[in-house]
Amino acid sequence: MPRETFQKELDRLVEDVVGLGREVESCLETMVEALQAQDVEIAKREIGVDSRFKERGTEIDEECMVLQARQAPVARDLRLIYTVQVVTNHLVRSGTLCEHICHAVAETAEADRDPDLAATLSEMARAANGLFREGLDIFEQRDIDRARDLEAADDKVDLLYSEAMNLIVNPAKEGGGSPEWRTRAALMVHYLERIADHGVDIGGRTVFLVTGERMESAMRQYRERRVESDED
Amino acid sequence: MSEVFGERSDISKDQEGQASTVPKASTLGMKIEDLSAYYGSFKAVTDVSMAIRPNKVTALIGPSGCGKSTFIRCLNRMHEVIPVAYAEGCVKLGDQDIYAKGTDPVTIRRRIGMVFQKPNPFSKSIYENVAWGARINGYKGDMDELVERSLKRAALWDEVKDKLKKSGFDLSGGQQQRLVIARTLAVEPEVILMDEPASALDPVSTQKIEDTMAELKERYTVVIVTHNMQQAARISDYTGFFYIEHMNDPGQLWEFDETDKIFSSPERKETEDYVTGRFG
């Protein structure tokens, strides 16, 4: 096939991105474990990963720039490089948020906690982690049919977000946890919601990569098709 | 009236066939319907339909031998110059069918000018190269002014204004190609067809031709055949991809769309494989 060298460079680029994604995913799993167990030692394992992820992200960005300069990519090659840059940004940001959560867990280990809120946070962390992994899988396998389900999964995260915020704003008179912990919990809730969004966006960008269609437009068509088939 | 069939307001019927110097109020587009081109019994291009928008650059791309050059030559009746070559179908300039009975092909070729791959100036002075076409078309206006204006539009004036009496052959390849463009412009065409106009030129000259085209589309409709896909991406508004599906089949227009679409997310796999350099 012509442009073999270029194709190899693109394949390597995708490998690099997926590799970075899997590292972030592993970091997220540790975060979920730390959050569930409120374990300082587990949380501390991931403190410091952020700078490594950022460095990797910069390297991938540079690779993309060189490929654009040297190979003048168009059509699917251009979409791939563009998608790689956007996905890399989502991965690095997710890694940063993960580290923030681990910091919060480590720093509030001794604080009084609301068990309901703690349970909601854990559930939200599992859901956000699941969405991130799903987005990354979709990107790696180009399995855009699965991208259609991402928004529904994200709705669940949004619901947990509202539930958690309600517990934070209206704490029980007894057992509502310390104000410091509730403040940290509010931040963690926000970070988790962002991680879930990054997962959804990674899947959405994959739809663009494969079809050239923006996720929003693909989702709209999907919903309309569903309405039509419901009417049948 | 559609955008494609804009009415030309500045040429009256008795002026047909004569060079006009009246600034154009509007530019005509072209419409091609079911055009097929033959060399004897061999069908080179089949059933092409497309609209060429006025004041836009339309690029035609595709692998060698897929009929791009044959097709573009059908657009000003140059194809039939080759013995046994002929075309079927309808090609309209504005509302006028250029293949209608009684239509003078010479008039059509004046209104739809053509620039070829290799610059082909006449063995005359730079001035005469530009003035010649207008003169034989009976142009009676200020010739100096016409020559200057045409050379300016072809972005060559500054480089040749002090040596207009020198031979056209004294110019570089890139300058010669712009001289040929000026010669084409001097007879005030509606449409300019270009068949790989920069493929024999160095990168700097190529860039000048590309810049010239960006200006030309302000006043003319431009169609260009190019093998340089980045050139098509840089300069054109619309792109047509010609393709031969099976060996010995005629070429066909496989995909036609806005250039942005063709080079970012074309509809058909073969188009994407071609523009990304995976074949061809």
Side-chain angles (χ1 to χ4, degrees), chain B residues 167-221:
Chain B
S167 166
F169 290 128
D170 288 347
L171 300 174
S172 72
Q175 288 173 325
Q176 285 185 16
Q177 193 63 304
R178 279 178 284 147
L179 178 63
V180 172
I181 292 173
R183 187 177 70 196
T184 307
L185 301 182
V187 296
E188 285 290 342
E190 296 283 344
V191 180
I192 303 168
L193 309 175
M194 297 186 174
D195 192 357
E196 297 188 55
S199 60
L201 306 180
D202 64 90
V204 174
S205 300
T206 298
Q207 191 54 55
K208 285 192 175 169
I209 295 285
E210 290 182 8
D211 289 344
T212 307
M213 289 176 68
E215 287 178 26
L216 289 181
K217 75 172 184 179
E218 301 290 322
R219 300 182 55 84
Y220 308 95
T221 300

Side-chain angles (χ1 to χ4, degrees), chain A residues 41-81:
Chain A
E41 292 312 313
I42 296 175
K44 279 183 176 171
R45 273 192 234 152
E46 301 302 343
I47 291 172
V49 288
D50 179 41
S51 56
R52 196 175 76 233
F53 293 152
K54 280 181 175 154
E55 203 175 306
R56 294 275 302 279
T58 306
E59 283 167 12
I60 290 169
D61 254 359
E62 282 168 4
E63 278 178 61
C64 289
M65 206 171 80
V66 169
L67 281 176
Q68 288 178 77
R70 287 180 39 237
Q71 300 285 359
V74 297
R76 64 169 173 256
D77 298 335
L78 180 64
R79 295 201 302 275
L80 177 62
I81 291 174

Side-chain angles (χ1 to χ4, degrees), chain A residues 2 7 74-77 79, chain B residues 263-264 272-273 275-276 278:
Chain A
Q7 189 57 54
V74 297
R76 64 169 173 256
D77 298 335
R79 295 201 302 275
Chain B
F263 285 92
S264 62
E272 188 148 57
D273 284 346
V275 297
T276 56
R278 297 314 195 272

Side-chain angles (χ1 to χ4, degrees), chain A residues 89-110:
Chain A
N89 188 39
H90 285 307
L91 299 177
V92 172
R93 282 171 181 270
S94 298
T96 304
L97 294 169
C98 181
E99 184 175 325
H100 287 345
I101 296 171
C102 287
H103 264 298
V105 171
E107 287 164 13
T108 57
E110 304 300 323

Side-chain angles (χ1 to χ4, degrees), chain B:
Chain B
M1 192 164 282
S2 74
E3 182 190 18
V4 175
F5 295 105
E7 191 67 47
R8 186 174 174 173
S9 59
D10 56 305
I11 290 193
S12 58
K13 278 184 182 168
D14 59 3
Q15 283 179 303
E16 282 292 343
Q18 291 200 5
S20 162
T21 58
V22 183
K24 285 184 285 183
S26 63
T27 309
L28 295 182
M30 297 185 77
K31 187 155 190 173
I32 296 99
E33 287 167 3
D34 302 322
L35 184 79
S36 297
Y38 300 81
Y39 293 95
S41 59
F42 175 67
K43 195 178 197 182
V45 177
T46 189
D47 294 321
V48 175
S49 297
M50 72 160 83
I52 293 170
R53 269 89 170 168
N55 296 108
K56 300 286 180 194
V57 176
T58 299
L60 307 177
I61 60 170
S64 295
C66 66
K68 308 177 296 289
S69 290
T70 301
F71 172 76
I72 201 174
R73 282 158 190 263
C74 292
L75 300 187
N76 74 340
R77 298 191 58 173
M78 284 288 283
H79 175 58
E80 68 205 46
V81 171
I82 301 166
V84 308
Y86 64 100
E88 285 174 349
C90 180
V91 178
K92 283 182 177 170
L93 172 63
D95 284 333
Q96 184 188 356
D97 181 354
I98 68 166
Y99 281 96
K101 266 188 183 173
T103 307
D104 176 11
V106 176
T107 305
I108 292 300
R109 288 172 204 148
R110 186 193 64 68
R111 294 182 65 192
I112 308 173
M114 191 166 224
V115 176
F116 298 91
Q117 183 178 1
K118 286 189 182 161
N120 54 351
F122 306 135
S123 59
K124 292 175 182 291
S125 68
I126 292 167
Y127 184 99
E128 280 304 317
N129 260 281
V130 180
W132 184 79
R135 188 172 290 132
I136 63 159
N137 273 300
Y139 178 67
K140 302 251 178 351
D142 182 343
M143 191 61 84
D144 290 353
E145 191 269 333
L146 176 69
V147 168
E148 179 176 339
R149 189 177 68 218
S150 302
L151 285 166
K152 277 182 175 167
R153 281 188 195 158
L156 186 60
W157 173 251
D158 287 342
E159 293 163 55
V160 300
K161 62 185 176 191
D162 299 324
K163 49 181 177 184
L164 292 173
K165 288 202 165 60
K166 285 204 165 188
S167 166
F169 290 128
D170 288 347
L171 300 174
S172 72
Q175 288 173 325
Q176 285 185 16
Q177 193 63 304
R178 279 178 284 147
L179 178 63
V180 172
I181 292 173
R183 187 177 70 196
T184 307
L185 301 182
V187 296
E188 285 290 342
E190 296 283 344
V191 180
I192 303 168
L193 309 175
M194 297 186 174
D195 192 357
E196 297 188 55
S199 60
L201 306 180
D202 64 90
V204 174
S205 300
T206 298
Q207 191 54 55
K208 285 192 175 169
I209 295 285
E210 290 182 8
D211 289 344
T212 307
M213 289 176 68
E215 287 178 26
L216 289 181
K217 75 172 184 179
E218 301 290 322
R219 300 182 55 84
Y220 308 95
T221 300
V222 181
V223 184
I224 175 173
V225 167
T226 178
H227 272 122
N228 181 338
M229 275 176 289
Q230 282 306 312
Q231 183 172 65
R234 283 193 296 267
I235 62 175
S236 69
D237 302 290
Y238 293 89
T239 297
F241 171 58
F242 280 74
Y243 180 60
I244 291 178
E245 197 169 10
H246 304 292
M247 281 282 277
N248 301 322
D249 276 359
Q252 50 184 310
L253 179 63
W254 199 248
E255 186 165 351
F256 182 73
D257 214 321
E258 290 179 11
T259 297
D260 290 351
K261 169 84 175 153
I262 293 285
F263 285 92
S264 62
S265 53
E267 290 293 327
R268 304 186 78 169
K269 182 182 179 299
E270 293 78 7
T271 314
E272 188 148 57
D273 284 346
Y274 183 72
V275 297
T276 56
R278 297 314 195 272
F279 81 85

